Amino acid sequence: MDPSTTLTALHEFCTERLGPELAHHFMKMARPGFDLVVAAPEEAAGDSRFGGMAMLEPGTPWPTCDGFPLSLLAVLDTDALPREWLGDLIPAGTGLLNFFFLDTGSEQCHEAAFEVAGKRPAFCTAPELAAVIAARSSHAVPAAPPARASVFAPVPWAASPGFAFPNQSFDLVLPDDLGPEAMEMRDTIMRGLYLEHDFPDWEQRPGALTAADIAFAWPVLSNSPPLPDGKELHQFQHLLQISGPYEWGLGADGGDMHWTIPTEALRTGDFSRAIPTPDYA
């Protein structure tokens, strides 16, 4: 289905369960995004994948922190995603988004990476430990990683569009003036619980995003995202969630990797302002 048809069906689904007034406000939280599912190369969304080689424009420097190279974790080919689902979320022609992070979680990681990360008060959440670099599809070429950077086997992704909602009380962006019914929803339905606990058929909703790896939309979180002081989640847009079983992992006990960006920076294509928001299990 196209996004307009999907939104209409989703609104009807929510209205049946929440009533028309609350469903109207609840639907304001719906954000478009894409399930990223492991696929054969011929089924992939362009060059979208976990791992592999970075795709950069000639002359683009490889991102580093204190002179230590970050590692390429994923590439998202936005030109291969249905434009009608992206709307004005990102500028047309954004091309390939390369997602980098300091590797301290794989068997390949260099021992010096821990020293680099350890210098930061917030281990693994400092902005300089990650980077998102855009490259125009017509100009991008494979970039050889420098020494000490980890290189992971490529895993192609197919992309399926849909809509997501915040899944935890700290994600909730309902305003405070919607009346007692909305406040009851905030204090009970959304009280640290996943929506499917309250809606038994929640995963059957139209346009549901249920994959482990997700582009845009809302992330699936276990803990509050580590945003800069004084910033609220509604001022930011989720870029990418990596949660699948790959060569790389987040922390000894697992976790999901996220990149987040101020919404106004995303709409203008300023990916230099993207930050890491890892979610440790």
Side-chain angles (χ1 to χ4, degrees):
M1 289 193 290
D2 62 86
S4 178
T5 303
T6 303
L7 271 179
T8 299
L10 183 57
H11 188 276
E12 293 175 353
F13 178 94
C14 291
T15 299
E16 292 175 358
R17 289 151 182 82
L18 298 174
E21 183 176 357
L22 189 54
H24 171 74
H25 294 292
F26 190 66
M27 284 297 298
K28 292 180 181 179
M29 295 190 293
R31 286 184 176 180
F34 299 86
D35 274 343
L36 301 174
V37 182
V38 175
E42 63 272 15
E43 299 173 341
D47 201 25
S48 300
R49 52 182 158 80
F50 170 84
M53 299 283 283
M55 298 294 293
L56 303 176
E57 296 188 24
T60 302
W62 191 276
T64 62
C65 179
D66 295 347
F68 190 92
L70 305 183
S71 296
L72 186 281
L73 291 188
V75 175
L76 183 65
D77 189 343
T78 67
D79 287 347
L81 302 176
R83 188 69 213 177
E84 64 270 21
W85 284 85
L86 291 172
D88 63 353
L89 185 62
I90 62 173
T94 293
L96 302 165
L97 296 181
N98 295 267
F99 291 84
F100 297 88
F101 193 56
L102 180 69
D103 178 24
T104 59
S106 79
E107 294 182 358
Q108 297 185 45
C109 72
H110 195 280
E111 58 183 11
F114 293 95
E115 180 179 351
V116 173
K119 293 178 181 179
R120 273 72 197 168
F123 185 78
C124 289
T125 63
E128 61 268 27
L129 298 182
V132 178
I133 300 178
R136 292 168 293 177
S137 298
S138 59
H139 292 66
V141 295
R148 301 188 294 176
S150 300
V151 181
F152 305 107
V155 181
W157 281 327
S160 299
F163 290 93
F165 293 89
N167 74 300
Q168 295 273 352
S169 58
F170 45 71
D171 300 343
L172 197 58
V173 291
L174 281 172
D176 293 330
D177 59 353
L178 296 183
E181 187 176 9
M183 291 307 97
E184 181 180 357
M185 177 183 178
R186 167 176 287 177
D187 295 336
T188 57
I189 292 179
M190 299 294 288
R191 187 177 55 209
L193 298 176
Y194 293 101
L195 282 172
E196 56 262 32
H197 291 174
D198 296 278
F199 301 151
D201 58 348
W202 182 240
E203 289 193 357
Q204 280 69 57
R205 68 191 182 278
L209 296 178
T210 59
D213 306 311
I214 299 174
F216 305 113
W218 291 94
V220 177
L221 296 167
S222 299
N223 301 289
S224 181
L227 296 178
D229 290 343
K231 301 297 183 180
E232 301 293 336
L233 192 63
H234 66 269
Q235 298 173 312
F236 284 78
Q237 171 68 49
H238 179 243
L239 283 176
L240 182 68
Q241 169 180 308
I242 296 179
S243 184
Y246 302 114
E247 290 182 85
W248 177 87
L250 183 67
D253 296 325
D256 301 335
M257 183 61 203
H258 306 280
W259 289 263
T260 305
I261 189 171
T263 302
E264 46 90 13
L266 176 61
R267 293 188 187 281
T268 60
D270 184 6
F271 294 97
S272 68
R273 296 175 62 189
I275 59 174
T277 49
D279 184 32
Y280 287 90

